[in-house]
Amino acid sequence: QVQLVESGGGLVQAGGSLRLSCAASGRTFSAYTMGWFRQAPGKERDLVGHIRWLGGNIRYADSVKGRFAISRDNAKNTVYLQMNSLKPEDTAVYYCAATRNLVATTAGMYDYWGQGTQVTVSV
């Protein structure tokens, strides 16, 4: 099992920035993917971006390209989501997730989830 804990959410004004953290513990995969998702009330849980732990390959959803950045700290078993130029439509609960699947773009492809952290962007 893998345990994930998100932190760093909060309330910011449009145009501001936040950095989310996801600390992982438990079993180590030989190769796996960690993803960031977000979900607003009444909407689907959508992929923000994902990173392969070993190779560092990163992909982003079109809606956040150029504004968000994913990084990792292997020594701390932590991944980060740096969010810049935030917009009201970015408001959602943000989750980190993990899977051994190397091609994982939907929520159903992930096996382990954090508790989520609320991000609210005011107009």
Side-chain angles (χ1 to χ4, degrees):
Q1 294 289 325
V2 175
Q3 294 79 47
L4 305 173
V5 179
E6 304 101 329
S7 62
L11 173 64
V12 299
Q13 292 182 322
S17 298
L18 282 174
R19 190 181 75 162
L20 306 183
S21 299
C22 176
S25 62
R27 185 173 181 176
T28 300
F29 296 103
S30 58
Y32 64 90
T33 301
M34 298 191 71
W36 285 99
F37 288 79
R38 63 186 183 184
Q39 186 171 28
K43 296 186 178 180
E44 297 179 342
R45 186 172 298 185
D46 292 328
L47 178 72
V48 175
H50 59 85
I51 181 171
R52 293 181 180 175
W53 193 257
L54 295 181
N57 310 73
I58 302 173
R59 297 290 184 271
Y60 299 99
D62 289 341
S63 59
V64 305
K65 286 181 179 178
R67 299 189 298 121
F68 291 10
I70 297 173
S71 61
R72 73 186 194 276
D73 186 331
N74 291 26
K76 296 182 178 180
N77 294 118
T78 300
V79 297
Y80 304 93
L81 179 65
Q82 178 67 46
M83 304 185 294
N84 301 318
S85 301
L86 283 162
K87 305 174 181 179
E89 53 262 42
D90 295 319
T91 296
V93 176
Y94 283 70
Y95 300 88
C96 66
T99 181
R100 59 176 58 87
N101 194 341
L102 295 177
V103 182
T105 57
T106 65
M109 297 178 181
Y110 287 78
D111 303 308
Y112 309 102
W113 294 86
Q115 81 285 354
T117 184
Q118 177 71 47
V119 172
T120 302
V121 184
S122 62
V123 298

